[in-house]
């Protein structure tokens, strides 16, 4: 590898890396990803756990870090939240009882290559197996990072065919791998093909590019995407340290193209399992016009148990959010259940007692309050028959 990583001083919070000739070229970033123990060790002092992880983990799940994302690592502290997300540690090789290779049962809900169809009205379309970086908490590690190639034209044609002949599908989520690492032209082919299917009402893109490769969100990409509204983007910020000027600009650009942006955070032990971090992350996301959507309890993907928290931790954190910060900043805490039973929303229980004429609730300060309810429980909307037809 021939490039030298730009020198960044590392005050906290992380500063964005300085602009370099190629640093702001997203293809340069992908070509110059840091992928080996040797490359990483040349840039920071590895801990013994990281050394062991880097020796063994890549045989199980590959390592790749864009120079940009690498520049956000605090090289003095192994507990850096960016570092933990991309540098494997020895514990990645430990498999706990209950861990699964396919934690969400996706493979058994796949009616065509590249399609996961678990809910009645929406499905996932996996467009490629490449990501810009490989997250150590990846739940699709069995699939991604192998060939680093887009779905073949043949498989894509069959996947589109499945969506075409399944009129119940209103909502298609393009995921992967990271769809925004495709060329704009290739991505447009996929989106345009979906948009040509009359029953596909909305298209969503799941991507970590604004976080790990923000220079990819360029004018060309935004000009293409805005032709295909209603189009939604869900991204994946896990820590406020990731909200650099470049990352913020990427989100603003997408928002300026009229794209509503949501964020899916994975609750990661020692990375963002703190009230201070989550409050800061979610309120800062709103400032960039990104709406926190889901906070996931860690999936039971084999090799990720050291990054998971207990369910009690997740619920206790939610309790410190609701009421304390804008409702707009509060995501749903969900467990994507093992084996493909779907997402289940969980959270603190604010109901203290349920009576026929009143419920007793606990507010965010722990104070009790009654909500009286009507005796008549009938909630029929008589106009429905007229509006929807009998
Ligand atoms: C998460 C997921 C969806 C989308 O779920 P929403 O709750 O609508 O965001 C759809 N299909 C699959 C297979 C999923 O895992």
């Amino acid at each position: 590898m021939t490039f030298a990583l730009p020198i960044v001083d590392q005050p906290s919070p992380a500063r964005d890396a300085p602009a370099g000739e190629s640093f702001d070229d997203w293809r340069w970033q992908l070509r110059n990803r840091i992928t080996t123990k040797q490359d990483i060790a040349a840039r920071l002092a590895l801990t013994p756990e990281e050394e062991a992880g880097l020796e063994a983990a890549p045989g199980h799940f590959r390592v790749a870090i864009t120079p940009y994302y690498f520049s956000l690592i605090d090289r003095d502290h192994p507990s850096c939240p960016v570092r933990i997300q991309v540098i494997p540690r020895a514990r990645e090789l430990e498999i706990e009882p209950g861990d699964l290779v396919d934690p969400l049962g996706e493979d058994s809900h796949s009616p065509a290559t590249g399609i996961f169809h678990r809910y009645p009205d929406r499905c996932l379309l996996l467009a490629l197996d490449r990501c810009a970086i490989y997250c150590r908490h990846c739940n699709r590690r069995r699939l991604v990072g192998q060939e680093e190639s887009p779905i073949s034209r043949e498989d894509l044609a069959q996947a589109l065919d499945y969506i075409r002949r399944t009129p119940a599908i209103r909502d298609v989520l393009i995921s992967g791998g990271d769809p925004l690492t495709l060329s704009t032209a290739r991505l447009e082919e996929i989106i345009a093909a979906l948009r040509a299917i009359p029953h596909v009402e909305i298209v969503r893109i799941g991507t970590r590019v604004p976080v790990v490769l923000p220079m990819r969100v360029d004018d060309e990409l935004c000009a293409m995407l805005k032709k295909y509204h209603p189009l939604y983007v869900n991204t994946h910020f896990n820590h406020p340290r990731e909200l650099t000027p470049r990352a913020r600009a990427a989100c603003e650009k997408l928002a300026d193209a009229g794209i509503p942006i949501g964020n899916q955070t994975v609750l990661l032990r020692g990375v963002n399992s703190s009230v201070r971090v989550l409050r800061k992350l979610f309120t800062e996301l709103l400032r960039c016009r990104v709406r926190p959507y889901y906070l996931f309890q860690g999936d039971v993907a084999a090799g990720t148990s050291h990054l998971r928290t207990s369910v009690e931790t997740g619920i206790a954190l939610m309790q410190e959010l609701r009421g304390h910060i804008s409702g707009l900043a509060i995501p749903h805490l969900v467990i994507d259940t093992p084996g493909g039973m779907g997402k289940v929303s969980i959270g603190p229980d604010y109901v203290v007692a349920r009576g026929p004429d009143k419920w007793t609730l606990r507010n965010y300060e722990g104070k009790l309050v009654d909500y009286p309810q009507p005796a008549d429980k009938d909630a029929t909307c008589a106009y429905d028959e007229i509006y929807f037809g009998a």
Side-chain angles (χ1 to χ4, degrees):
M1 196 154 294
T2 52
F3 82 98
L5 191 76
I7 309 290
V8 202
D9 37 350
Q10 295 273 341
S12 192
R15 246 196 250 162
D16 210 337
E21 273 163 60
S22 346
F23 198 83
D24 279 300
D25 173 348
W26 68 274
R27 293 181 185 279
W28 179 91
Q29 289 279 338
L30 288 181
R31 275 198 307 275
N32 289 288
R33 288 185 302 174
I34 297 148
T35 59
T36 64
K37 181 181 164 209
Q38 209 182 350
D39 289 338
I40 298 172
R43 291 170 176 80
L44 53 75
L46 291 169
T47 65
E49 278 155 77
E50 289 170 333
E51 281 205 33
L54 279 164
E55 264 152 40
H60 301 265
F61 183 52
R62 70 182 295 162
V63 172
I65 314 165
T66 54
Y68 163 77
Y69 198 64
F70 198 99
S71 76
L72 308 185
I73 292 178
D74 184 335
R75 285 172 236 186
D76 297 329
H77 295 283
S79 59
C80 167
V82 172
R83 182 164 174 162
I84 293 175
Q85 290 183 66
V86 284
I87 300 183
R89 289 171 295 169
R91 293 185 61 191
E92 204 167 306
L93 302 171
E94 292 171 13
I95 313 291
E96 296 294 325
D99 282 2
L100 298 170
V101 171
D102 176 13
L104 307 179
E106 290 180 320
D107 297 340
S108 59
H109 288 80
S110 179
T113 305
I115 297 271
F116 293 135
H117 192 184
R118 173 201 291 155
Y119 294 112
D121 72 337
R122 55 209 189 277
C123 73
L124 295 186
L125 170 61
L126 302 197
L128 77 169
D129 76 342
R130 175 173 77 175
C131 286
I133 68 159
Y134 292 102
C135 305
R136 300 335 293 173
H137 53 279
C138 182
N139 63 3
R140 220 171 263 151
R141 50 180 57 221
R142 73 190 185 284
L143 298 180
V144 305
Q146 284 161 14
E147 307 293 326
E148 292 220 311
S149 59
I151 185 172
S152 74
R153 285 181 193 277
E154 223 167 86
D155 285 344
L156 178 63
Q158 287 193 11
L160 291 168
D161 203 48
Y162 173 78
I163 297 170
R164 220 172 270 123
R165 61 191 154 76
T166 312
I169 298 174
R170 303 171 22 255
D171 173 0
V172 178
L173 285 77
I174 308 174
S175 182
D178 197 316
L180 293 193
T181 66
L182 291 169
S183 71
T184 302
R186 186 85 166 100
L187 181 60
E188 180 163 17
E189 280 178 44
I190 297 172
I191 301 175
L194 287 172
R195 270 273 157 262
I197 302 172
H199 57 262
V200 174
E201 295 171 6
I202 66 168
V203 173
R204 305 193 231 177
I205 294 176
T207 176
R208 219 180 169 194
V209 153
V211 188
V212 300
L213 186 66
M215 51 291 287
R216 166 61 181 120
V217 182
D218 54 17
D219 293 338
E220 179 204 52
L221 178 70
C222 292
M224 184 278 280
L225 292 175
K226 73 191 285 188
K227 292 191 284 181
Y228 298 97
H229 283 310
L231 183 104
Y232 291 75
V233 164
N234 263 335
T235 185
H236 176 177
F237 285 92
N238 284 333
H239 194 278
R241 194 173 171 89
E242 297 168 334
L243 278 164
T244 64
R246 280 184 177 86
R248 289 170 192 263
C251 296
E252 299 274 344
K253 236 176 155 63
L254 289 168
D256 285 346
I259 300 168
I261 314 163
N263 186 71
Q264 310 195 155
T265 294
V266 180
L267 182 55
L268 296 170
R269 178 206 291 268
V271 169
N272 57 17
S273 52
S274 102
V275 177
R276 281 194 292 184
V277 165
L278 291 184
R279 283 191 188 171
K280 175 93 175 155
L281 174 63
F282 296 149
T283 53
E284 286 296 318
L285 282 169
L286 281 190
R287 295 180 75 179
C288 312
R289 291 182 277 165
V290 178
R291 175 83 153 89
Y293 177 52
Y294 281 142
L295 173 63
F296 285 105
Q297 284 285 155
D299 290 336
V300 293
T304 64
S305 61
H306 58 301
L307 292 167
R308 272 174 245 150
T309 69
S310 66
V311 179
E312 286 89 345
T313 298
I315 289 175
L317 288 165
M318 288 304 290
Q319 181 141 323
E320 297 301 323
L321 300 178
R322 172 67 63 199
H324 297 272
I325 57 171
S326 309
L328 273 178
I330 299 177
H332 300 279
L333 175 64
V334 296
I335 297 182
D336 212 344
T337 53
M341 300 289 285
K343 296 177 180 73
V344 174
S345 184
I346 54 169
D349 192 357
Y350 295 104
V351 177
V352 175
R354 310 160 196 237
D357 54 354
K358 68 170 191 200
W359 281 40
T360 304
L361 309 172
R362 185 173 50 80
N363 84 346
Y364 77 102
E365 299 158 307
K367 294 182 180 147
L368 299 190
V369 57
D370 285 341
Y371 175 80
Q373 58 171 346
D376 186 352
K377 301 290 191 291
D378 180 19
T380 309
C381 293
Y383 195 73
D384 278 7
E385 282 185 28
I386 295 159
Y387 186 76
F388 293 107

